[in-house]
Amino acid sequence: MTVANKRQNAEAIGHKMEQTTSKLMYFHGNILLARQLHYSLQTMAVLRRVAHYKIIEELQTMFKKLIVAAVITLFAGAATAAGGVFATLDTDMNGAVSKDEASAMPSLTEQWETLDVDANGELSAEEFAAYVAEEKP
């Protein structure tokens, strides 16, 4: 093989190496790009999940507040109704219902000993509220 042929072969090999290197760099660039795209898609999926959980947490918080408001409204209505009955029974307006005043409600007089927890002969508003709570289904 002559020097010219060796040089030509070396140039051909160098050219092939440049092409191969160029292709490898191209593929390497595509691999890096593909990795970046993959990580971006994963990040977007995580962000969507986080946003989804935040929405769920907000809905749960709103639902809990709604339940609390409903319970408060129900108890306020029951307390107002019980307070109205208590005020009607408390004819002497001393803040307690005596056994004579309770005679207007037979079910109340039947349970008097159980309801009069402090055994002072009168039902306080709290004792009457306990009676109303027991009577409601």
Side-chain angles (χ1 to χ4, degrees), residues 88-117:
T88 303
L89 290 173
D90 184 19
T91 55
D92 61 4
M93 293 184 254
N94 67 346
V97 175
S98 67
K99 196 164 189 176
D100 290 335
E101 292 171 326
S103 64
M105 286 182 74
S107 62
L108 188 61
T109 53
E110 290 171 4
Q111 300 177 34
W112 187 263
E113 280 73 31
T114 308
L115 297 173
D116 188 14
V117 177

Side-chain angles (χ1 to χ4, degrees), residues 69-95:
V71 168
I72 288 171
T73 303
L74 287 173
F75 281 123
T80 303
V85 174
F86 184 80
T88 303
L89 290 173
D90 184 19
T91 55
D92 61 4
M93 293 184 254
N94 67 346

Side-chain angles (χ1 to χ4, degrees), residues 86 97 108 114-120 122-132:
F86 184 80
V97 175
L108 188 61
T114 308
L115 297 173
D116 188 14
V117 177
D118 57 7
N120 66 351
E122 296 180 327
L123 290 184
S124 66
E126 292 81 17
E127 291 169 328
F128 185 77
Y131 162 74
V132 171

Side-chain angles (χ1 to χ4, degrees), residues 40-96:
S40 296
L41 290 173
Q42 281 183 332
T43 303
M44 287 173 53
V46 168
L47 290 175
R48 273 196 300 265
R49 277 189 235 128
V50 167
H52 178 73
Y53 290 130
K54 284 185 180 181
I55 290 171
I56 289 174
E57 287 174 357
E58 288 175 13
L59 288 173
Q60 287 174 339
T61 302
M62 288 172 41
F63 187 68
K64 287 176 185 175
K65 288 179 181 178
L66 180 65
I67 289 174
V68 168
V71 168
I72 288 171
T73 303
L74 287 173
F75 281 123
T80 303
V85 174
F86 184 80
T88 303
L89 290 173
D90 184 19
T91 55
D92 61 4
M93 293 184 254
N94 67 346

